[in-house]
Amino acid sequence: MGAGIALLDPPIRAAHEASADMAGRPRRREWLGRGMIAVLVMAFGTTMVLSGTDLAIVATLEESGQVSWAAVVVAVYGVASIVGGLAYGLLPRPLPTWLLLGLLGLATVPAGLAHGWPWLCAAVAGAGLLAAPTLSAVADAVSRLAPASVRGEATGLQSSAQNAGFALGSPITGVAISASLPAGGFAAAGLAGLAAALTGYLLSRPSPARTRSPLSDRSGVLSASGRSVR
């Protein structure tokens, strides 16, 4: 995939953004605000769910003596993710990232109740349908929030957040499995996604100062001299 991207060299800017470099590079604090941090948290949470799910699948099948079917279950998860991604691409407008991640977390938790590889395939397929859409929503949010001149840096931060999620998802899920049952791995992965979704939602909410209605301040804003400024 990396070689294909290098050969095709797709543009990372729209046509109207071609002259972004001439406008100057914005300061980091101008674009790395609450909204971008929220997206990075959700990028971290998404890959925590994915890596934790992989480990929980293997642990569940190993307990039932069916670990040889792990590749089949993971393949079902991957195919479901592709189908979900294609279906999501047909939607007229993107869904909120926090909503997709929250649904991914909720769909992951019940997979721990499955016994036997056929039931586990059915259980993970539901969660897999939300995997690619969530990753796509994260990437879309980063590209929208980052100005064109710093989009490379922003996507680098996104990649770092996702790599951190992959690195920490398996150990955290492993601890949950060791402390309880393989089903605890699905619960830990799903709850991690829910926590990241909730954090992202709270961070992305506009501050009260920005949501103040103009009708709530009909008398105007007082200037330093005490006069009303319209």
Side-chain angles (χ1 to χ4, degrees):
M1 181 181 293
I5 292 175
L7 290 173
L8 295 174
D9 191 21
I12 61 172
R13 300 177 184 176
H16 65 278
E17 297 174 332
S19 60
D21 285 335
M22 300 180 62
R25 182 183 179 87
R27 291 176 293 182
R28 185 172 289 111
R29 65 181 181 182
E30 294 178 4
W31 59 269
L32 189 56
R34 287 166 55 97
M36 182 64 77
I37 293 174
V39 175
L40 295 177
V41 169
M42 290 185 285
F44 172 80
T46 301
T47 50
M48 279 195 70
V49 176
L50 298 181
S51 65
T53 298
D54 285 345
L55 183 61
I57 288 172
V58 175
T60 300
L61 293 175
E62 185 176 15
E63 185 186 44
S64 60
Q66 299 176 329
V67 72
S68 60
W69 291 96
V72 174
V73 178
V74 172
V76 169
Y77 190 92
V79 171
S81 176
I82 294 173
V83 173
L86 294 174
Y88 180 73
L90 297 176
L91 295 180
R93 62 182 63 183
L95 296 176
T97 308
W98 62 265
L99 176 60
L100 288 169
L101 178 54
L103 292 175
L104 175 62
L106 283 174
T108 299
V109 173
L113 301 176
H115 297 285
W117 71 268
W119 290 107
L120 189 57
C121 284
V124 301
L129 289 171
L130 294 161
T134 307
L135 290 170
S136 177
V138 167
D140 178 66
V142 169
S143 65
R144 285 188 291 103
L145 291 172
S149 58
V150 296
R151 194 159 292 151
E153 181 178 352
T155 53
L157 290 174
Q158 174 197 344
S159 178
S160 297
Q162 290 176 328
N163 288 337
F166 275 123
L168 293 177
S170 293
I172 292 175
T173 302
V175 170
I177 292 172
S178 299
S180 58
L181 296 170
F186 288 107
L191 291 175
L194 285 171
L198 178 60
T199 303
Y201 170 73
L202 294 176
L203 286 174
S204 60
R205 292 178 63 187
S207 61
R210 294 182 180 179
T211 57
R212 182 194 302 173
S213 171
L215 298 178
S216 65
D217 194 11
R218 296 179 181 178
S219 61
V221 180
L222 292 178
S223 65
S225 61
R227 297 180 179 180
S228 177
V229 179
R230 295 292 178 182

